[in-house]
Amino acid sequence: MNRFDAIIIGTGQAGPALADRLARAGMQVAVIERGKFGGTCVNNGCTPTKTMVASAYAARLAQRAAEYGVQVTGPVKVDMAGVKARKDALVERSTEGLERWLRSLANVAVYTGHARFIDPHTVRVGTDTLAAPRLFVNVGGRPFVPSMPGVDQIPYLTNESLMDVDFLPEHLIVVGGSYVGLEFAQMYRRFGSRVTVVEMASGLVSREDPDVSEAIRQILETEGVEIRLDAKCIAFERTPEGVRTRVDCQDGAPELSGTHVLLAVGRVPNTDDLGIKEAGIEVDARGYIKVDETLKTSAENIYALGDCNGQGAFTHTAYNDYEIVADNLLSGANRKVSDRIPIYGLFIDPPLGRLGLTETEARRAGRKILIARMPMTEVARAREKGETQGFMKILVDADSKRILGASILGVGGDEAVHSLVDAMYGELPYTVVVHGVRIHPTVSELIPTALNELVPAT
Ligand SMILES: Cc1cc2nc3c(=O)[nH]c(=O)nc-3n(C[C@H](O)[C@H](O)[C@H](O)COP(=O)(O)OP(=O)(O)OC[C@H]3O[C@@H](n4cnc5c(N)ncnc54)[C@H](O)[C@@H]3O)c2cc1C
């Protein structure tokens, strides 16, 4: 039996930082990882996809070069092996750097292998048994494979297996028109594939407002991504050429033939093989670990951080989980997960930066709202860059004058949305934002201008 002060399972976005902080506080810490260090974000999520989005952006810009007065002689060709090599180099540097760093930390012992609880204080990893008074679960999730008819008959791809692809699929069918699916759909279209997105709902990224969803659809369709909505009965069949997909949409052919299928229909937490029963940890119907406001599980001595607790699905929320847990345990803070304001990006090009409530959510909550809207065609920087698709929308509470949320779909939208974050955390009236002077020419400089044109929601 190896005894520690703390055991951390998983080296995603919360575990490594927590290990460092606990170890610096003098605790003996064990960190366990069964896969590649860094988890989803580093190995098959944020890092590789954004690296590939950058390659796709370069391809797009090269295709549009003449619009900027730049000559590209001959057709623009994408070298998929080169795209993958660039991505692999970045991922490798991150994952290897993280492992090296963790192994170098004083007071930290690194174990590789699958961890499983034996009881609330004890974990087995291979032939090792580790025990500690406190345990932290940061096991993340994996792609959900739906039980659609025929799915077991086809060689489908997921965001994980796609990382090994170094060729151009002739016709990629992306099942799932949400955050993960759309990033891949646009990038592969830009690389040169024919791409069809098949979505069960009546709109893309259905968590977003209908106007945002519609603008995203237009952006993708302008580039030739084919979109099939209302696909209620998705089924697959293997054919000599690839895969036939039944879509059964309201309009369009009932079947599609493609060469490859990417499943992007959500994720499941890695809690089914963790020994949660033995640990005394409760999970919800979908397997997410139930936690309180401080991320403590139903087992008094065990915390759950990151995607596996269902409180967030992003790298920054997982990292914030670490901050909450560490500050409460080590610095006597009283931080809660409900203090967090939702913020995230959809990294198609142009990106969507999202903050706080959507308009739909604000209306549903019965808020009296004022709305500021501005098309990106009115943003000088967007015009100068030749990237004028999208719009910004900011919501203000009519009574308190505080900012409720924002959707900035457009060039730099993922960055510009941050210029409202502090006003929201500081609970400032929107007039503070209006009076602040901003840099010209930027996307952010138009936020005060937009806020000067607030109108009541009808
Ligand atoms: C395609 C894609 C793109 C994304 N892009 C973004 C983005 O741009 N921005 C963003 O904020 N988020 C993005 N995300 C989400 C982001 O990757 C996750 O929210 C984040 O990685 C969650 O981190 P985590 O710490 O909860 O878990 P993970 O990163 O999943 O790490 C969990 C770790 O635990 C290990 N593990 C699991 N079970 C065990 C066990 N029993 N024993 C030992 N080890 C175990 C796993 O091997 C893994 O290394 C993306 C996700 C996907 C799929």
PDB file of all heavy atoms in Angstrom, residues 9-10 12-13 33-36 39-41 44-46 49-50 113-115 138-141 159 180 267 274 306-307 313-316 347, ligand 1:
ATOM      1  N   ILE A   9      -6.830  11.526 -10.093  1.00  0.00           N
ATOM      2  CA  ILE A   9      -7.017  10.595 -11.214  1.00  0.00           C
ATOM      3  C   ILE A   9      -7.309  11.401 -12.475  1.00  0.00           C
ATOM      4  O   ILE A   9      -8.328  12.070 -12.568  1.00  0.00           O
ATOM      5  CB  ILE A   9      -8.168   9.608 -10.944  1.00  0.00           C
ATOM      6  CG1 ILE A   9      -7.961   8.889  -9.609  1.00  0.00           C
ATOM      7  CG2 ILE A   9      -8.294   8.604 -12.090  1.00  0.00           C
ATOM      8  CD1 ILE A   9      -9.117   7.984  -9.206  1.00  0.00           C
ATOM      9  N   GLY A  10      -6.380  11.329 -13.436  1.00  0.00           N
ATOM     10  CA  GLY A  10      -6.557  12.047 -14.703  1.00  0.00           C
ATOM     11  C   GLY A  10      -5.683  13.282 -14.772  1.00  0.00           C
ATOM     12  O   GLY A  10      -5.546  14.028 -13.801  1.00  0.00           O
ATOM     13  N   GLY A  12      -6.100  15.796 -17.120  1.00  0.00           N
ATOM     14  CA  GLY A  12      -6.728  16.724 -18.068  1.00  0.00           C
ATOM     15  C   GLY A  12      -6.383  18.151 -17.703  1.00  0.00           C
ATOM     16  O   GLY A  12      -5.216  18.491 -17.450  1.00  0.00           O
ATOM     17  N   GLN A  13      -7.381  18.989 -17.636  1.00  0.00           N
ATOM     18  CA  GLN A  13      -7.136  20.418 -17.469  1.00  0.00           C
ATOM     19  C   GLN A  13      -7.167  20.882 -16.019  1.00  0.00           C
ATOM     20  O   GLN A  13      -6.855  22.033 -15.732  1.00  0.00           O
ATOM     21  CB  GLN A  13      -8.152  21.197 -18.295  1.00  0.00           C
ATOM     22  CG  GLN A  13      -8.003  20.933 -19.774  1.00  0.00           C
ATOM     23  CD  GLN A  13      -6.599  21.220 -20.260  1.00  0.00           C
ATOM     24  OE1 GLN A  13      -6.063  22.295 -20.029  1.00  0.00           O
ATOM     25  NE2 GLN A  13      -5.975  20.253 -20.907  1.00  0.00           N
ATOM     26  N   GLU A  33      -2.509   8.577 -14.665  1.00  0.00           N
ATOM     27  CA  GLU A  33      -2.991   8.826 -16.035  1.00  0.00           C
ATOM     28  C   GLU A  33      -2.950   7.511 -16.802  1.00  0.00           C
ATOM     29  O   GLU A  33      -1.931   6.827 -16.824  1.00  0.00           O
ATOM     30  CB  GLU A  33      -2.129   9.891 -16.721  1.00  0.00           C
ATOM     31  CG  GLU A  33      -2.461  10.121 -18.187  1.00  0.00           C
ATOM     32  CD  GLU A  33      -3.927  10.452 -18.441  1.00  0.00           C
ATOM     33  OE1 GLU A  33      -4.417  11.464 -17.922  1.00  0.00           O
ATOM     34  OE2 GLU A  33      -4.599   9.671 -19.159  1.00  0.00           O
ATOM     35  N   ARG A  34      -4.062   7.213 -17.481  1.00  0.00           N
ATOM     36  CA  ARG A  34      -4.113   5.946 -18.233  1.00  0.00           C
ATOM     37  C   ARG A  34      -3.832   6.143 -19.721  1.00  0.00           C
ATOM     38  O   ARG A  34      -3.615   5.182 -20.453  1.00  0.00           O
ATOM     39  CB  ARG A  34      -5.476   5.288 -18.071  1.00  0.00           C
ATOM     40  CG  ARG A  34      -6.596   5.989 -18.813  1.00  0.00           C
ATOM     41  CD  ARG A  34      -7.901   5.242 -18.671  1.00  0.00           C
ATOM     42  NE  ARG A  34      -8.971   5.925 -19.390  1.00  0.00           N
ATOM     43  CZ  ARG A  34     -10.245   5.606 -19.298  1.00  0.00           C
ATOM     44  NH1 ARG A  34     -10.615   4.619 -18.508  1.00  0.00           N
ATOM     45  NH2 ARG A  34     -11.154   6.260 -19.982  1.00  0.00           N
ATOM     46  N   GLY A  35      -3.881   7.372 -20.160  1.00  0.00           N
ATOM     47  CA  GLY A  35      -3.682   7.627 -21.591  1.00  0.00           C
ATOM     48  C   GLY A  35      -2.565   8.623 -21.800  1.00  0.00           C
ATOM     49  O   GLY A  35      -1.550   8.607 -21.085  1.00  0.00           O
ATOM     50  N   LYS A  36      -2.765   9.488 -22.779  1.00  0.00           N
ATOM     51  CA  LYS A  36      -1.742  10.499 -23.042  1.00  0.00           C
ATOM     52  C   LYS A  36      -1.914  11.654 -22.069  1.00  0.00           C
ATOM     53  O   LYS A  36      -3.048  12.080 -21.802  1.00  0.00           O
ATOM     54  CB  LYS A  36      -1.854  10.991 -24.482  1.00  0.00           C
ATOM     55  CG  LYS A  36      -1.392   9.942 -25.472  1.00  0.00           C
ATOM     56  CD  LYS A  36      -1.267  10.551 -26.850  1.00  0.00           C
ATOM     57  CE  LYS A  36      -0.693   9.527 -27.809  1.00  0.00           C
ATOM     58  NZ  LYS A  36      -0.899   9.943 -29.197  1.00  0.00           N
ATOM     59  N   GLY A  39      -4.847  14.837 -21.566  1.00  0.00           N
ATOM     60  CA  GLY A  39      -6.259  14.510 -21.822  1.00  0.00           C
ATOM     61  C   GLY A  39      -6.777  15.007 -23.160  1.00  0.00           C
ATOM     62  O   GLY A  39      -6.030  15.167 -24.130  1.00  0.00           O
ATOM     63  N   THR A  40      -8.064  15.261 -23.171  1.00  0.00           N
ATOM     64  CA  THR A  40      -8.772  15.571 -24.423  1.00  0.00           C
ATOM     65  C   THR A  40      -8.271  16.849 -25.075  1.00  0.00           C
ATOM     66  O   THR A  40      -7.983  16.881 -26.271  1.00  0.00           O
ATOM     67  CB  THR A  40     -10.281  15.733 -24.120  1.00  0.00           C
ATOM     68  OG1 THR A  40     -10.741  14.565 -23.443  1.00  0.00           O
ATOM     69  CG2 THR A  40     -11.074  15.924 -25.401  1.00  0.00           C
ATOM     70  N   CYS A  41      -8.193  17.917 -24.322  1.00  0.00           N
ATOM     71  CA  CYS A  41      -7.886  19.225 -24.902  1.00  0.00           C
ATOM     72  C   CYS A  41      -6.573  19.173 -25.661  1.00  0.00           C
ATOM     73  O   CYS A  41      -6.487  19.600 -26.812  1.00  0.00           O
ATOM     74  CB  CYS A  41      -7.836  20.283 -23.805  1.00  0.00           C
ATOM     75  SG  CYS A  41      -7.533  21.929 -24.449  1.00  0.00           S
ATOM     76  N   ASN A  44      -6.738  15.474 -28.404  1.00  0.00           N
ATOM     77  CA  ASN A  44      -7.701  15.368 -29.515  1.00  0.00           C
ATOM     78  C   ASN A  44      -8.854  16.357 -29.402  1.00  0.00           C
ATOM     79  O   ASN A  44      -9.926  16.116 -29.931  1.00  0.00           O
ATOM     80  CB  ASN A  44      -8.216  13.926 -29.666  1.00  0.00           C
ATOM     81  CG  ASN A  44      -8.532  13.300 -28.333  1.00  0.00           C
ATOM     82  OD1 ASN A  44      -9.286  13.874 -27.552  1.00  0.00           O
ATOM     83  ND2 ASN A  44      -7.943  12.153 -28.053  1.00  0.00           N
ATOM     84  N   GLY A  45      -8.619  17.460 -28.710  1.00  0.00           N
ATOM     85  CA  GLY A  45      -9.649  18.495 -28.587  1.00  0.00           C
ATOM     86  C   GLY A  45      -9.114  19.841 -29.047  1.00  0.00           C
ATOM     87  O   GLY A  45      -8.725  20.021 -30.197  1.00  0.00           O
ATOM     88  N   CYS A  46      -9.057  20.770 -28.094  1.00  0.00           N
ATOM     89  CA  CYS A  46      -8.717  22.170 -28.423  1.00  0.00           C
ATOM     90  C   CYS A  46      -7.442  22.322 -29.257  1.00  0.00           C
ATOM     91  O   CYS A  46      -7.475  22.953 -30.322  1.00  0.00           O
ATOM     92  CB  CYS A  46      -8.515  22.991 -27.147  1.00  0.00           C
ATOM     93  SG  CYS A  46      -9.334  22.380 -25.685  1.00  0.00           S
ATOM     94  N   THR A  49      -7.442  20.644 -32.870  1.00  0.00           N
ATOM     95  CA  THR A  49      -8.468  21.203 -33.772  1.00  0.00           C
ATOM     96  C   THR A  49      -8.152  22.647 -34.129  1.00  0.00           C
ATOM     97  O   THR A  49      -8.288  23.046 -35.277  1.00  0.00           O
ATOM     98  CB  THR A  49      -9.898  21.099 -33.183  1.00  0.00           C
ATOM     99  OG1 THR A  49      -9.942  21.724 -31.901  1.00  0.00           O
ATOM    100  CG2 THR A  49     -10.356  19.658 -33.064  1.00  0.00           C
ATOM    101  N   LYS A  50      -7.723  23.421 -33.153  1.00  0.00           N
ATOM    102  CA  LYS A  50      -7.425  24.821 -33.476  1.00  0.00           C
ATOM    103  C   LYS A  50      -6.189  24.921 -34.372  1.00  0.00           C
ATOM    104  O   LYS A  50      -6.059  25.828 -35.197  1.00  0.00           O
ATOM    105  CB  LYS A  50      -7.244  25.648 -32.199  1.00  0.00           C
ATOM    106  CG  LYS A  50      -8.494  26.332 -31.733  1.00  0.00           C
ATOM    107  CD  LYS A  50      -9.804  25.586 -31.979  1.00  0.00           C
ATOM    108  CE  LYS A  50     -10.327  24.831 -30.828  1.00  0.00           C
ATOM    109  NZ  LYS A  50     -11.538  24.042 -31.061  1.00  0.00           N
ATOM    110  N   GLY A 113      -1.514   4.149 -15.927  1.00  0.00           N
ATOM    111  CA  GLY A 113      -2.404   2.989 -15.938  1.00  0.00           C
ATOM    112  C   GLY A 113      -3.808   3.410 -15.554  1.00  0.00           C
ATOM    113  O   GLY A 113      -4.056   4.564 -15.191  1.00  0.00           O
ATOM    114  N   HIS A 114      -4.709   2.456 -15.655  1.00  0.00           N
ATOM    115  CA  HIS A 114      -6.120   2.738 -15.357  1.00  0.00           C
ATOM    116  C   HIS A 114      -6.359   2.675 -13.842  1.00  0.00           C
ATOM    117  O   HIS A 114      -6.013   1.691 -13.192  1.00  0.00           O
ATOM    118  CB  HIS A 114      -6.994   1.696 -16.064  1.00  0.00           C
ATOM    119  CG  HIS A 114      -8.436   1.849 -15.761  1.00  0.00           C
ATOM    120  ND1 HIS A 114      -9.229   2.766 -16.415  1.00  0.00           N
ATOM    121  CD2 HIS A 114      -9.222   1.232 -14.840  1.00  0.00           C
ATOM    122  CE1 HIS A 114     -10.456   2.689 -15.920  1.00  0.00           C
ATOM    123  NE2 HIS A 114     -10.482   1.769 -14.959  1.00  0.00           N
ATOM    124  N   ALA A 115      -6.956   3.725 -13.313  1.00  0.00           N
ATOM    125  CA  ALA A 115      -7.230   3.770 -11.867  1.00  0.00           C
ATOM    126  C   ALA A 115      -8.671   3.347 -11.600  1.00  0.00           C
ATOM    127  O   ALA A 115      -9.585   3.727 -12.341  1.00  0.00           O
ATOM    128  CB  ALA A 115      -7.012   5.195 -11.365  1.00  0.00           C
ATOM    129  N   ASN A 138     -10.542  13.606 -12.105  1.00  0.00           N
ATOM    130  CA  ASN A 138     -10.495  14.521 -13.260  1.00  0.00           C
ATOM    131  C   ASN A 138     -10.411  13.659 -14.529  1.00  0.00           C
ATOM    132  O   ASN A 138      -9.499  13.775 -15.324  1.00  0.00           O
ATOM    133  CB  ASN A 138      -9.264  15.439 -13.124  1.00  0.00           C
ATOM    134  CG  ASN A 138      -9.084  16.393 -14.300  1.00  0.00           C
ATOM    135  OD1 ASN A 138      -7.958  16.682 -14.702  1.00  0.00           O
ATOM    136  ND2 ASN A 138     -10.156  16.897 -14.877  1.00  0.00           N
ATOM    137  N   VAL A 139     -11.421  12.764 -14.667  1.00  0.00           N
ATOM    138  CA  VAL A 139     -11.318  11.716 -15.693  1.00  0.00           C
ATOM    139  C   VAL A 139     -11.901  12.094 -17.047  1.00  0.00           C
ATOM    140  O   VAL A 139     -11.794  11.330 -18.009  1.00  0.00           O
ATOM    141  CB  VAL A 139     -11.969  10.398 -15.203  1.00  0.00           C
ATOM    142  CG1 VAL A 139     -11.151   9.789 -14.075  1.00  0.00           C
ATOM    143  CG2 VAL A 139     -13.422  10.623 -14.775  1.00  0.00           C
ATOM    144  N   GLY A 140     -12.547  13.249 -17.162  1.00  0.00           N
ATOM    145  CA  GLY A 140     -12.995  13.726 -18.471  1.00  0.00           C
ATOM    146  C   GLY A 140     -14.035  12.849 -19.143  1.00  0.00           C
ATOM    147  O   GLY A 140     -14.812  12.155 -18.474  1.00  0.00           O
ATOM    148  N   GLY A 141     -14.019  12.895 -20.465  1.00  0.00           N
ATOM    149  CA  GLY A 141     -15.019  12.141 -21.218  1.00  0.00           C
ATOM    150  C   GLY A 141     -14.459  11.647 -22.534  1.00  0.00           C
ATOM    151  O   GLY A 141     -13.282  11.827 -22.838  1.00  0.00           O
ATOM    152  N   ASN A 159     -13.745  12.377 -33.115  1.00  0.00           N
ATOM    153  CA  ASN A 159     -12.712  13.417 -33.004  1.00  0.00           C
ATOM    154  C   ASN A 159     -11.373  12.803 -32.597  1.00  0.00           C
ATOM    155  O   ASN A 159     -10.326  13.386 -32.842  1.00  0.00           O
ATOM    156  CB  ASN A 159     -13.126  14.513 -32.014  1.00  0.00           C
ATOM    157  CG  ASN A 159     -13.113  14.043 -30.580  1.00  0.00           C
ATOM    158  OD1 ASN A 159     -14.000  13.305 -30.166  1.00  0.00           O
ATOM    159  ND2 ASN A 159     -12.112  14.431 -29.810  1.00  0.00           N
ATOM    160  N   VAL A 180     -18.446  20.645 -32.002  1.00  0.00           N
ATOM    161  CA  VAL A 180     -17.348  19.826 -32.523  1.00  0.00           C
ATOM    162  C   VAL A 180     -17.549  19.548 -34.011  1.00  0.00           C
ATOM    163  O   VAL A 180     -16.639  19.716 -34.831  1.00  0.00           O
ATOM    164  CB  VAL A 180     -17.243  18.503 -31.713  1.00  0.00           C
ATOM    165  CG1 VAL A 180     -16.302  17.525 -32.392  1.00  0.00           C
ATOM    166  CG2 VAL A 180     -16.778  18.787 -30.284  1.00  0.00           C
ATOM    167  N   ARG A 267     -20.742  13.721 -25.953  1.00  0.00           N
ATOM    168  CA  ARG A 267     -19.695  13.030 -25.226  1.00  0.00           C
ATOM    169  C   ARG A 267     -20.276  12.316 -24.011  1.00  0.00           C
ATOM    170  O   ARG A 267     -21.362  12.662 -23.555  1.00  0.00           O
ATOM    171  CB  ARG A 267     -18.615  14.046 -24.799  1.00  0.00           C
ATOM    172  CG  ARG A 267     -17.985  14.695 -26.017  1.00  0.00           C
ATOM    173  CD  ARG A 267     -16.870  15.619 -25.706  1.00  0.00           C
ATOM    174  NE  ARG A 267     -15.753  15.058 -24.977  1.00  0.00           N
ATOM    175  CZ  ARG A 267     -14.794  14.303 -25.495  1.00  0.00           C
ATOM    176  NH1 ARG A 267     -14.824  13.981 -26.768  1.00  0.00           N
ATOM    177  NH2 ARG A 267     -13.804  13.865 -24.745  1.00  0.00           N
ATOM    178  N   LEU A 274     -14.741   3.263 -13.305  1.00  0.00           N
ATOM    179  CA  LEU A 274     -13.932   3.950 -12.284  1.00  0.00           C
ATOM    180  C   LEU A 274     -14.128   3.350 -10.884  1.00  0.00           C
ATOM    181  O   LEU A 274     -13.394   3.683  -9.962  1.00  0.00           O
ATOM    182  CB  LEU A 274     -14.342   5.434 -12.286  1.00  0.00           C
ATOM    183  CG  LEU A 274     -13.497   6.445 -11.551  1.00  0.00           C
ATOM    184  CD1 LEU A 274     -12.076   6.485 -12.100  1.00  0.00           C
ATOM    185  CD2 LEU A 274     -14.134   7.848 -11.680  1.00  0.00           C
ATOM    186  N   GLY A 306     -13.725  19.103 -13.740  1.00  0.00           N
ATOM    187  CA  GLY A 306     -13.701  19.013 -15.198  1.00  0.00           C
ATOM    188  C   GLY A 306     -14.969  18.406 -15.774  1.00  0.00           C
ATOM    189  O   GLY A 306     -16.010  18.326 -15.112  1.00  0.00           O
ATOM    190  N   ASP A 307     -14.867  17.970 -17.022  1.00  0.00           N
ATOM    191  CA  ASP A 307     -16.047  17.514 -17.774  1.00  0.00           C
ATOM    192  C   ASP A 307     -16.849  16.437 -17.047  1.00  0.00           C
ATOM    193  O   ASP A 307     -18.065  16.349 -17.235  1.00  0.00           O
ATOM    194  CB  ASP A 307     -15.607  16.953 -19.140  1.00  0.00           C
ATOM    195  CG  ASP A 307     -15.250  18.050 -20.137  1.00  0.00           C
ATOM    196  OD1 ASP A 307     -15.122  19.219 -19.716  1.00  0.00           O
ATOM    197  OD2 ASP A 307     -15.077  17.731 -21.320  1.00  0.00           O
ATOM    198  N   ALA A 313     -18.051  22.055 -19.947  1.00  0.00           N
ATOM    199  CA  ALA A 313     -17.559  21.131 -20.981  1.00  0.00           C
ATOM    200  C   ALA A 313     -16.406  21.774 -21.719  1.00  0.00           C
ATOM    201  O   ALA A 313     -16.235  21.593 -22.917  1.00  0.00           O
ATOM    202  CB  ALA A 313     -18.691  20.787 -21.935  1.00  0.00           C
ATOM    203  N   PHE A 314     -15.631  22.545 -20.976  1.00  0.00           N
ATOM    204  CA  PHE A 314     -14.560  23.316 -21.612  1.00  0.00           C
ATOM    205  C   PHE A 314     -13.284  23.225 -20.790  1.00  0.00           C
ATOM    206  O   PHE A 314     -13.320  22.975 -19.584  1.00  0.00           O
ATOM    207  CB  PHE A 314     -14.962  24.789 -21.749  1.00  0.00           C
ATOM    208  CG  PHE A 314     -16.230  24.966 -22.518  1.00  0.00           C
ATOM    209  CD1 PHE A 314     -17.424  25.187 -21.861  1.00  0.00           C
ATOM    210  CD2 PHE A 314     -16.222  24.869 -23.903  1.00  0.00           C
ATOM    211  CE1 PHE A 314     -18.608  25.317 -22.572  1.00  0.00           C
ATOM    212  CE2 PHE A 314     -17.395  24.995 -24.621  1.00  0.00           C
ATOM    213  CZ  PHE A 314     -18.599  25.225 -23.954  1.00  0.00           C
ATOM    214  N   THR A 315     -12.194  23.523 -21.473  1.00  0.00           N
ATOM    215  CA  THR A 315     -10.906  23.562 -20.801  1.00  0.00           C
ATOM    216  C   THR A 315     -10.906  24.615 -19.699  1.00  0.00           C
ATOM    217  O   THR A 315     -10.429  24.367 -18.587  1.00  0.00           O
ATOM    218  CB  THR A 315      -9.817  23.835 -21.850  1.00  0.00           C
ATOM    219  OG1 THR A 315      -9.584  22.600 -22.513  1.00  0.00           O
ATOM    220  CG2 THR A 315      -8.532  24.339 -21.240  1.00  0.00           C
ATOM    221  N   HIS A 316     -11.460  25.784 -19.997  1.00  0.00           N
ATOM    222  CA  HIS A 316     -11.419  26.854 -18.988  1.00  0.00           C
ATOM    223  C   HIS A 316     -12.333  26.553 -17.805  1.00  0.00           C
ATOM    224  O   HIS A 316     -12.073  27.022 -16.707  1.00  0.00           O
ATOM    225  CB  HIS A 316     -11.739  28.215 -19.623  1.00  0.00           C
ATOM    226  CG  HIS A 316     -12.919  28.211 -20.527  1.00  0.00           C
ATOM    227  ND1 HIS A 316     -12.833  27.867 -21.847  1.00  0.00           N
ATOM    228  CD2 HIS A 316     -14.224  28.498 -20.302  1.00  0.00           C
ATOM    229  CE1 HIS A 316     -14.042  27.954 -22.411  1.00  0.00           C
ATOM    230  NE2 HIS A 316     -14.896  28.333 -21.480  1.00  0.00           N
ATOM    231  N   PHE A 347     -15.312  27.598 -32.744  1.00  0.00           N
ATOM    232  CA  PHE A 347     -14.167  28.040 -33.538  1.00  0.00           C
ATOM    233  C   PHE A 347     -14.289  27.684 -35.017  1.00  0.00           C
ATOM    234  O   PHE A 347     -13.359  27.145 -35.613  1.00  0.00           O
ATOM    235  CB  PHE A 347     -12.871  27.514 -32.924  1.00  0.00           C
ATOM    236  CG  PHE A 347     -12.622  28.111 -31.564  1.00  0.00           C
ATOM    237  CD1 PHE A 347     -13.029  27.448 -30.412  1.00  0.00           C
ATOM    238  CD2 PHE A 347     -12.027  29.353 -31.443  1.00  0.00           C
ATOM    239  CE1 PHE A 347     -12.831  28.012 -29.164  1.00  0.00           C
ATOM    240  CE2 PHE A 347     -11.825  29.920 -30.194  1.00  0.00           C
ATOM    241  CZ  PHE A 347     -12.230  29.250 -29.047  1.00  0.00           C
TER     242      PHE A 347
HETATM  243  C1  LIG B   1     -12.931  18.161 -30.750  1.00  0.00           C
HETATM  244  C2  LIG B   1     -12.958  18.944 -29.472  1.00  0.00           C
HETATM  245  C3  LIG B   1     -12.569  20.259 -29.474  1.00  0.00           C
HETATM  246  C4  LIG B   1     -12.600  21.006 -28.302  1.00  0.00           C
HETATM  247  N1  LIG B   1     -12.240  22.311 -28.346  1.00  0.00           N
HETATM  248  C5  LIG B   1     -12.288  23.042 -27.222  1.00  0.00           C
HETATM  249  C6  LIG B   1     -11.915  24.405 -27.235  1.00  0.00           C
HETATM  250  O1  LIG B   1     -11.535  24.955 -28.263  1.00  0.00           O
HETATM  251  N2  LIG B   1     -11.959  25.109 -26.068  1.00  0.00           N
HETATM  252  C7  LIG B   1     -12.375  24.519 -24.905  1.00  0.00           C
HETATM  253  O2  LIG B   1     -12.417  25.203 -23.879  1.00  0.00           O
HETATM  254  N3  LIG B   1     -12.728  23.228 -24.864  1.00  0.00           N
HETATM  255  C8  LIG B   1     -12.699  22.486 -25.983  1.00  0.00           C
HETATM  256  N4  LIG B   1     -13.041  21.169 -25.933  1.00  0.00           N
HETATM  257  C9  LIG B   1     -13.434  20.587 -24.639  1.00  0.00           C
HETATM  258  C10 LIG B   1     -12.182  20.269 -23.794  1.00  0.00           C
HETATM  259  O3  LIG B   1     -11.309  19.452 -24.523  1.00  0.00           O
HETATM  260  C11 LIG B   1     -12.606  19.589 -22.508  1.00  0.00           C
HETATM  261  O4  LIG B   1     -13.594  20.354 -21.884  1.00  0.00           O
HETATM  262  C12 LIG B   1     -11.434  19.446 -21.567  1.00  0.00           C
HETATM  263  O5  LIG B   1     -10.407  18.673 -22.145  1.00  0.00           O
HETATM  264  C13 LIG B   1     -11.922  18.783 -20.282  1.00  0.00           C
HETATM  265  O6  LIG B   1     -10.847  18.500 -19.498  1.00  0.00           O
HETATM  266  P1  LIG B   1     -10.951  17.484 -18.307  1.00  0.00           P
HETATM  267  O7  LIG B   1      -9.833  17.851 -17.431  1.00  0.00           O
HETATM  268  O8  LIG B   1     -12.292  17.472 -17.708  1.00  0.00           O
HETATM  269  O9  LIG B   1     -10.783  16.004 -18.936  1.00  0.00           O
HETATM  270  P2  LIG B   1      -9.892  15.412 -20.079  1.00  0.00           P
HETATM  271  O10 LIG B   1      -9.111  16.434 -20.778  1.00  0.00           O
HETATM  272  O11 LIG B   1     -10.754  14.547 -20.890  1.00  0.00           O
HETATM  273  O12 LIG B   1      -8.828  14.507 -19.288  1.00  0.00           O
HETATM  274  C14 LIG B   1      -9.193  13.394 -18.562  1.00  0.00           C
HETATM  275  C15 LIG B   1      -7.979  12.503 -18.403  1.00  0.00           C
HETATM  276  O13 LIG B   1      -8.281  11.467 -17.484  1.00  0.00           O
HETATM  277  C16 LIG B   1      -7.714  10.245 -17.940  1.00  0.00           C
HETATM  278  N5  LIG B   1      -8.485   9.160 -17.350  1.00  0.00           N
HETATM  279  C17 LIG B   1      -9.804   8.895 -17.532  1.00  0.00           C
HETATM  280  N6  LIG B   1     -10.182   7.852 -16.765  1.00  0.00           N
HETATM  281  C18 LIG B   1      -9.079   7.451 -16.098  1.00  0.00           C
HETATM  282  C19 LIG B   1      -8.829   6.420 -15.161  1.00  0.00           C
HETATM  283  N7  LIG B   1      -9.800   5.618 -14.714  1.00  0.00           N
HETATM  284  N8  LIG B   1      -7.563   6.256 -14.708  1.00  0.00           N
HETATM  285  C20 LIG B   1      -6.571   7.084 -15.102  1.00  0.00           C
HETATM  286  N9  LIG B   1      -6.757   8.094 -15.985  1.00  0.00           N
HETATM  287  C21 LIG B   1      -7.998   8.279 -16.464  1.00  0.00           C
HETATM  288  C22 LIG B   1      -7.848  10.352 -19.455  1.00  0.00           C
HETATM  289  O14 LIG B   1      -6.930   9.495 -20.091  1.00  0.00           O
HETATM  290  C23 LIG B   1      -7.555  11.818 -19.692  1.00  0.00           C
HETATM  291  O15 LIG B   1      -6.189  12.048 -19.905  1.00  0.00           O
HETATM  292  C24 LIG B   1     -13.008  20.394 -27.094  1.00  0.00           C
HETATM  293  C25 LIG B   1     -13.374  19.040 -27.071  1.00  0.00           C
HETATM  294  C26 LIG B   1     -13.370  18.327 -28.250  1.00  0.00           C
HETATM  295  C27 LIG B   1     -13.756  16.872 -28.203  1.00  0.00           C
END
